[in-house]
Amino acid sequence: MGQDKIEEKYDAVIVGSGANGISAAIHLQQKGLKTLILEKNSDPGGATRSGQLTLPGYVHDIGSAVLPMSYSSPFFQTLPLEKYGLEWIFPEIAFAQTLENGEAVGCYRDISKTAANLGKDKEAYEDLMNPLVSNWAKIDEDILSPFGIPSHPLQFLKFGIKAILPAKTLVNHYFKEDKAKSLFYGAAAHSTLPLTNLASSSFGLVLSIMAHINGWPFPKHGASAIIKALLAYYEDLGGKIHCNYTVKDAKNIPNSKIQLFDLTPRQLLKIEGLNLGNTYQKRLSKFTYGSGVFKIDWALNHPIPFNSAICRRAGTVHIGYGSEEIEHSEALSAKGKIAEHPYILLVQPSIFDSSRAPEEKHTAWAYCHVPNGSTFDCTKIIEDQIEKAAPGFKKSILKRSTMNTSDLEVFNPNLVGGDINGGRQDITQLFTRPIAKISPYKTSNNNIYLCSSSTPPGGGVHGMAGFNAAKQAFKDHF
């Protein structure tokens, strides 16, 4: 049975209801346009959705979870999302990093407090982070926009010179001891790049800056709360959303002047009848995707029994025992191999948000990086790594839910091969995503725009790709 045709006419139709799609729709609706969001799933949000995965009463973030980029997003900061029910939770420690000796080091909002735990590298850490944090407000919009002439060139250049470096080069230049190196590596490894690659420092720097400016907060009741708030505001502006609506052909799109797609290149190319030029399609088909992830969600009988009090007080814990182990893990996944002792990103939201689980029970999730498309079951290696830092962890597991790269792509087709960043974010695609173009949001069809994380500034729940694409589309047509 086919879906009903939408007869109404719109100024703009947005395909995909991830944070970027909704952000594009909000900006255009704010400008007085008549807009519609189309979503193939019954629930909006793209990869930012929450729900039951294990046992009744346990709320899990199925995709995106900790959202420092959301809280600090220049676009989201202009929206009255708190009026629409969004509440933020701020763990005392933004992120913690396990160490070889069973101890851990934490990244606090306060730079000096963080540096005080870094031994001989105390002053070096302060020298690195203080100027970057002080200048961030001058360069954040330029960092989160397509490549162009920055509004504060000197500050932008000072950041760029450090950000372009491989993480390994940066830590070896600034730090003498493994404690500080591991702390930075834990943040830089969010890039899913080998830490010897150019620009892998950029992720470590931006995420550390976020930690020192606003912490690493997450929404109360689950990450989907930010989607609910965005949509409530959008609908108050007069915007419309239609779920359970699949776009396989341009004929499925209601009559509209422009269309914006919150899709990665692979999904866009599958849609028939978009009248994209052959050369553009060929270039788009060469877009490459990065490493995938293997994710586990747990319902737990009690909090994770970390040996380190720092880990117990951190919302996010990076698990890896020494900078060499973390570096080796990320290098292997890029080479198509699975590390026996992988770098793990772990989050324990119920420690800070009691709404996530029944009384005195808890939730947690973790993932490790794997080769794109890998279906290898990483359950044992992930749980073994956690057990080393938290003896007794396995005994606390009531139920687990696992998702390999294929499961993640079924959950959200934009997670191609389990890639959660919308495409590889190395030096070749960091500034030229999805292809090298003056306006990366434009396609070869003047009425069609890309607004997903496959465009600048890339992955993260910040809405800036959608906002930037909508600005470009409005300028071109209205």
Side-chain angles (χ1 to χ4, degrees), residues 139-217:
I139 64 171
D140 61 343
E141 289 197 44
D142 291 320
I143 297 294
L144 298 172
S145 297
F147 197 66
I149 299 172
S151 51
H152 293 83
L154 182 59
Q155 286 81 8
F156 187 88
L157 182 63
K158 287 179 178 178
F159 172 83
I161 288 170
K162 296 177 177 70
I164 205 73
L165 294 173
K168 184 171 184 176
T169 302
L170 186 137
V171 298
N172 286 338
H173 174 74
Y174 277 93
F175 306 133
K176 297 182 177 70
E177 298 182 335
D178 203 62
K179 193 181 284 189
K181 292 179 181 182
S182 294
L183 182 69
F184 187 81
Y185 264 8
H190 283 245
S191 66
T192 71
L193 296 173
L195 298 171
T196 52
N197 273 30
L198 283 171
S200 53
S201 280
S202 62
F203 291 82
L205 290 171
V206 171
L207 289 172
S208 297
I209 290 166
M210 294 297 100
H212 292 310
I213 291 177
N214 292 315
W216 281 13

Side-chain angles (χ1 to χ4, degrees), residues 326-347:
I326 300 171
E327 186 180 319
H328 182 63
S329 170
E330 297 310 281
L332 283 180
S333 64
K335 291 176 182 175
K337 300 177 181 178
I338 306 285
E340 186 179 351
H341 305 291
Y343 158 83
I344 292 165
L345 193 152
L346 180 149
V347 174

